[in-house]
Amino acid sequence: MLRLYDTQAREVRDFVPLEEGKAGLYVCGLTVQSEPHVGHVRSAVNFDVLQRWLRHVGYEVTFIRNTTDIDDKILIKAAEQGRPWYNLAFAMKRELDKAYEALNVAPPTYEPAATGHIPEMLELIAQLIGKGHAYPAEDGSGDVYFDVRSWPAYGELTHQKIEDMEAAEDADPRGKRDPRDFALWKGWKKESEPETAAWPSPWGPGRPGWHIECSAMAGKYLGTAFDIHGGGVDLRFPHHENEQAQSRAAGHPFASYWMHNAWITTAGEKMSKSLGNSLLIPNVLATYRGIELRYYLVAAHYRSHVEFSFDALAESAAGFQRIENFLDRAGSSGHGDIPDAFAAAMDDDLGTPAAVAVLHDAVREGNRQLAAGEDATETADQVRAMLDVLGLDPADPAWPSSGGADAKLTSAVDALVAGLLEQRQAAREAKDFATADALRDQIKAAGIEIEDTPAGPKWTLS
């Protein structure tokens, strides 16, 4: 049985979905304020592995990952750059999509944007006001706040008491009953914010607070109760705590399981723009392939902090190239079974480190088979099956090296080499060894190495 670590329960729990055979997954996406860096994409890669494994074991998955495209930071950065906020958000969303594609992060079932769901947010806010859990500010700002003291369970996700929490810094505290009350709706600041950043509401023009967005969008696409809510560990508080509180206060059961991936750090600190230590995806991909970066991220457990370094990435890339080299030499039918040990590792809270160890054991066995002159096709098929679950199959058309011009070039070279190999084999059978040797030298001079295997000759670039 699949078992997952639940942040609220603080333990690994059997995964029992609300509806048999189906899994609803909501993951907090990014606020599209700037170019994505390695730290940004880890969450997407980790939860991509989760949805791939859920599908592999037979679940029908509905996977929602949102985009926050209106936010204080977006407004500030756009003003600094002298461009409309919506232009900045759109441009950064396109950069994010490129990063996801470069790392073979499969698209979710749907990717809702905050600005497209204002009516759902207004309806949820009105429900909270009607139930006595939210109130419009009395200072005329147009702000609406969630009353944290009206909800006795506030703090249950992160196991905190209200008295121990810091004040919410998302709005001017003058209109709040308690400093920890958080904004559901932010009144339009006519003097400092563009008119395009405001929508009409019963409380005056404004825009949604950060937390209400995900509650409204999760409810719209997954229903008031769903299975798994995920995101980065930094979102536990206040974002996910506030999401859960406002949703349950409105009468929605919300998420059954909470999953959080750990940070990628540099020099012991969370990788972020503010620290100036971010590594933008295009910069990293200028040196390493997307499949190598994904392997580096997948090889670590999703709940383990990763201290990023280019030395570690280089070592990881070399390890993945050894896997590719085996597949190139062994060949594969593309139809393999997942080893029991790999499945057991994945069922144990997505234990990718142990799963990758099983993968390397299979590669070692395959190399032994090749060295002994045995057929390693079945082993190669198993390796590819494991890689597919991790989103790392080199033959997946999603990877640039297996599609487009590169694939056509490989196919053309393969046909030419196959023709020369047939001529070489015919010459050997006719005992015309001079011609056979000349063909072999011709192939080698083109930078191609030939290896005779029980399944027939294989070629690789030397």
Side-chain angles (χ1 to χ4, degrees):
M1 171 176 278
L2 174 61
R3 309 187 74 232
L4 299 170
Y5 184 85
D6 179 12
T7 301
Q8 181 166 332
R10 294 179 172 177
E11 65 180 9
V12 177
R13 298 171 53 203
D14 292 347
F15 177 62
V16 181
L18 295 173
E19 185 175 353
E20 186 176 355
K22 296 184 178 181
L25 171 61
Y26 185 93
V27 172
C28 285
L30 293 179
T31 299
V32 283
Q33 56 169 311
S34 55
E35 297 88 346
H37 56 60
V38 175
H40 285 144
V41 300
R42 184 186 187 188
S43 179
V45 169
N46 288 157
F47 286 104
D48 183 50
V49 171
L50 172 62
Q51 66 94 10
R52 286 172 185 265
W53 185 244
L54 287 169
R55 294 184 199 278
H56 175 80
V57 296
Y59 287 100
E60 179 185 332
V61 179
T62 302
F63 178 23
I64 306 299
R65 184 184 65 223
N66 78 293
T67 298
T68 297
D69 58 347
I70 182 67
D71 176 84
D72 289 346
K73 295 177 181 178
I74 293 175
L75 295 178
I76 292 170
K77 287 183 179 292
E80 292 173 349
Q81 296 175 25
R83 63 197 297 190
W85 64 270
Y86 49 82
N87 173 256
L88 172 64
F90 179 64
M92 294 304 100
K93 177 60 168 63
R94 292 182 68 189
E95 291 300 314
L96 181 60
D97 288 342
K98 291 177 186 176
Y100 287 161
E101 184 177 1
L103 272 71
N104 194 20
V105 174
T109 308
Y110 189 58
E111 192 169 23
T115 55
H117 297 78
I118 302 298
E120 290 83 0
M121 299 175 203
L122 295 176
E123 181 180 357
L124 182 54
I125 294 171
Q127 290 175 5
L128 290 168
I129 292 176
K131 290 176 177 290
H133 295 298
Y135 59 92
E138 297 179 356
D139 61 357
S141 63
D143 294 343
V144 180
Y145 297 106
F146 182 85
D147 185 347
V148 297
R149 292 191 178 276
S150 75
W151 184 245
Y154 186 66
E156 64 181 339
L157 175 63
T158 52
H159 302 274
Q160 297 185 79
K161 296 180 179 179
I162 291 179
E163 292 74 16
D164 298 331
M165 298 179 186
E166 296 181 356
E169 298 179 350
D170 53 1
D172 193 316
R174 289 180 301 174
K176 297 183 178 184
R177 296 174 182 172
D178 186 290
R180 286 154 285 239
D181 292 348
F182 57 88
L184 302 174
W185 188 256
K186 308 179 96 170
W188 178 43
K189 300 177 180 62
K190 184 176 181 180
E191 299 77 14
S192 60
E193 296 178 350
E195 188 173 356
T196 53
W199 287 261
S201 84
W203 315 284
R207 54 190 170 84
W210 179 27
H211 316 299
I212 199 69
E213 298 175 3
C214 289
S215 288
M217 290 185 282
K220 181 176 180 67
Y221 298 104
L222 294 174
T224 57
F226 57 95
D227 297 305
I228 302 171
H229 194 314
V233 68
D234 52 321
L235 299 181
R236 288 178 303 179
F237 187 86
H239 186 47
H240 288 167
E241 186 73 69
N242 292 351
E243 273 189 65
Q244 178 163 283
Q246 67 198 7
S247 298
R248 293 189 174 175
H252 304 167
F254 213 52
S256 299
Y257 298 79
W258 287 90
M259 295 179 65
H260 293 93
N261 66 277
W263 290 335
I264 289 183
T265 58
T266 53
E269 298 182 86
K270 174 192 170 188
M271 185 179 292
S272 67
K273 282 284 184 182
S274 60
L275 290 175
N277 59 5
S278 61
L279 292 169
L280 302 183
I281 297 300
N283 294 346
V284 177
L285 296 184
T287 305
Y288 296 93
R289 294 176 298 154
I291 198 169
E292 293 168 342
L293 178 56
R294 181 181 174 106
Y295 175 74
Y296 174 72
L297 297 174
V298 165
H301 194 273
Y302 77 93
R303 288 194 291 118
S304 298
H305 289 295
V306 174
E307 179 70 14
F308 182 88
S309 74
F310 277 109
D311 287 343
L313 178 54
E315 183 178 345
S316 180
F320 187 75
Q321 288 162 19
R322 287 192 289 272
I323 297 173
E324 290 179 301
N325 180 260
F326 162 67
L327 291 176
D328 287 341
R329 296 168 58 226
S332 169
S333 69
H335 304 286
D337 295 325
I338 294 288
D340 290 343
F342 182 94
M346 294 297 288
D347 277 342
D348 185 13
D349 193 30
L350 294 186
T352 54
V356 169
V358 175
L359 173 66
H360 280 287
D361 286 343
V363 170
R364 280 191 287 271
E365 171 60 15
N367 283 326
R368 184 203 64 76
Q369 291 169 335
L370 291 176
E374 301 172 10
D375 186 358
T377 304
E378 184 177 347
T379 303
D381 289 344
Q382 284 192 333
V383 168
R384 280 194 57 195
M386 290 184 276
L387 290 172
D388 182 62
V389 165
L390 300 175
L392 290 166
D393 183 0
D396 188 333
W399 295 114
S401 61
S402 53
D406 285 345
K408 293 179 181 179
L409 179 59
T410 300
S411 178
V413 173
D414 194 37
L416 292 172
V417 172
L420 292 172
L421 289 174
E422 288 177 3
Q423 294 177 41
R424 175 175 173 255
Q425 183 61 28
R428 293 174 69 181
E429 291 175 356
K431 300 190 184 301
D432 185 359
F433 298 113
T435 298
D437 290 345
L439 288 167
R440 180 200 61 199
D441 294 341
Q442 181 182 347
I443 294 171
K444 188 172 183 179
I448 296 171
E449 293 289 342
I450 301 297
E451 179 181 4
D452 292 310
T453 74
K458 306 289 184 182
W459 69 267
T460 56
L461 295 176
S462 59

